[in-house]
Amino acid sequence: MGDNMTSVTEFILLGFPLNTRTQMLLFGLFSQFYVLTLLGNGVILGLISLDSRLHTPMYFFLSHLAIVDMAYACSTVPQMLVNLLSPAKPISFAGCITQTFLFLTFAVTECLLLVVMSYDRYVAICHPLRYSVIVSWRVCIMLVVTSWTTGVLLSLVHLVLLIPLPFCMTQKIDHFFCEIMAVLKLACADTHINELMVLAGAVSVLVGPFSSVIISYVCIFRAILRLQSGEGQSKAFSTCSSHLCVVGLFYGTAIIMYVGPRYGNPKEQKKYLLLFHSLFNPMLNPLIYTLKNSEVKNAMKRVSLIQ
């Protein structure tokens, strides 16, 4: 075992096993998606900061979701684009560990922000008269800070357990970025504790929060159906459907990836699901909020008229 271990200074990301022409095609396509992700979420941030009518708790949470989505994409997509151009170009050990840490931080933070946003909609629809008291700005800031802090701390736990591990001479990571489970497979030591912590973390940020979201929306839909006004029902459904679509996309792919049945080639399936998670999810979120939310569309019209 000692002969097979080395002081690893870099890794090679294998990415997707494709021919050169396909890789160049995907490079152009993914580059456009990446730009759209940054522009779309940037527009959401700009609208919220420029339009005073969007200075509410709901859009305060949405602005942080947009920041997380941009950061989430930036943590994985640039390296993937580099790999498509130069498949043999290595990533340093420090760069790989940093990428793992950032990916985990933003993933956990987004999970918790989606729960916070569902709680905000629950209070707004089920307890409208007490909304300003329950969801005060102090509470909003506390919830957002808690989400970010939990994401950082949970990722640090994984990082502290990962860095001391000895790595084998095989330095090829079968992934398009330094995903923690793919990195652990290269370790020449017992990774049982690491894998157990990853599982515990996944359960705590996926199963628990997703259950909370489901319970919140059951209460929300019951409250909406009790509304007498058809216009009120329509507005409530419009506001909640945007968030529900985002929740479905994010948690749906994550649960399929970590909890769903394993068949065919699990490693390849996980790669494509993580690709959707890190590239398409952040790109689709601003489109969903723009197309499904009348307040955002009206804000776009008002800002365009000012310009």
Side-chain angles (χ1 to χ4, degrees):
M1 181 69 74
D3 295 336
N4 290 330
M5 291 189 295
T6 182
S7 178
V8 174
T9 58
E10 59 186 28
F11 293 107
I12 295 176
L13 296 167
L14 297 181
F16 301 99
L18 304 168
N19 59 54
T20 304
R21 184 176 179 181
T22 305
Q23 285 181 331
M24 294 305 297
L25 178 64
L26 289 179
F27 174 82
L29 190 63
F30 291 166
S31 296
Q32 293 180 41
F33 289 160
Y34 182 53
V35 171
L36 286 174
T37 297
L38 299 181
L39 285 177
N41 287 286
V43 167
I44 294 290
L45 280 173
L47 287 174
I48 293 171
S49 60
L50 291 174
D51 195 323
S52 59
R53 299 185 190 183
L54 299 183
H55 293 174
T56 63
M58 173 183 170
Y59 293 102
F60 174 69
F61 297 137
L62 179 57
S63 67
H64 279 270
L65 183 67
I67 293 170
V68 172
D69 279 337
M70 287 192 290
Y72 197 49
C74 290
S75 69
T76 57
V77 178
Q79 184 63 48
M80 179 180 64
L81 296 176
V82 169
N83 290 343
L84 287 172
L85 284 179
S86 305
K89 187 173 182 179
I91 180 173
S92 67
F93 178 81
C96 186
I97 295 300
T98 302
Q99 188 180 54
T100 302
F101 170 74
L102 292 176
F103 176 81
L104 290 172
T105 297
F106 300 135
V108 173
T109 303
E110 180 153 355
C111 280
L112 299 179
L113 279 176
L114 291 174
V115 177
V116 169
M117 293 174 74
S118 69
Y119 172 72
D120 172 70
R121 291 300 85 205
Y122 164 75
V123 177
I125 294 172
C126 298
H127 304 283
L129 299 179
R130 300 175 58 200
Y131 178 75
S132 59
V133 176
I134 298 174
V135 190
S136 63
W137 281 111
R138 182 180 178 181
V139 171
C140 291
I141 294 170
M142 183 187 69
L143 289 172
V144 167
V145 170
T146 301
S147 298
W148 281 99
T149 304
T150 304
V152 171
L153 292 178
L154 190 58
S155 302
L156 278 175
V157 171
H158 292 301
L159 206 65
V160 168
L161 292 173
L162 177 63
I163 290 176
L165 290 176
F167 288 91
C168 300
M169 294 179 65
T170 303
Q171 300 172 3
K172 295 180 179 179
I173 299 176
D174 190 10
H175 221 293
F176 64 89
F177 78 103
C178 292
E179 195 261 341
I180 186 166
M181 295 303 293
V183 175
L184 286 175
K185 288 178 181 177
L186 302 186
C188 289
D190 184 11
T191 59
H192 178 71
I193 294 177
N194 300 73
E195 293 171 4
L196 190 62
M197 288 301 298
V198 171
L199 177 61
V203 170
S204 64
V205 301
L206 284 175
V207 178
F210 184 65
S211 301
S212 300
V213 172
I214 294 298
I215 293 170
S216 296
Y217 271 96
V218 168
C219 297
I220 286 171
F221 287 132
R222 288 177 61 186
I224 290 175
L225 293 174
R226 287 199 299 265
L227 292 175
Q228 301 296 324
S229 168
E231 183 180 349
Q233 285 185 345
S234 177
K235 184 178 179 180
F237 272 120
S238 175
T239 304
C240 293
S241 61
S242 302
H243 181 246
L244 201 55
C245 287
V246 172
V247 167
L249 285 172
F250 188 87
Y251 280 104
T253 52
I255 288 172
I256 291 172
M257 189 164 50
Y258 291 106
V259 184
R262 304 289 179 96
Y263 53 87
N265 190 339
K267 286 195 297 184
E268 290 302 312
Q269 290 172 9
K270 190 172 183 180
K271 277 189 199 177
Y272 291 112
L273 283 171
L274 276 170
L275 175 64
F276 183 88
H277 227 53
S278 58
L279 180 60
F280 294 101
N281 253 359
M283 181 185 70
L284 291 174
N285 287 353
L287 291 176
I288 291 170
Y289 278 108
T290 302
L291 296 174
K292 301 284 290 181
N293 194 309
S294 58
E295 290 181 342
V296 174
K297 288 189 284 187
N298 291 334
M300 292 182 70
K301 293 176 183 177
R302 288 193 294 270
V303 170
S304 63
L305 288 174
I306 294 173
Q307 298 297 327

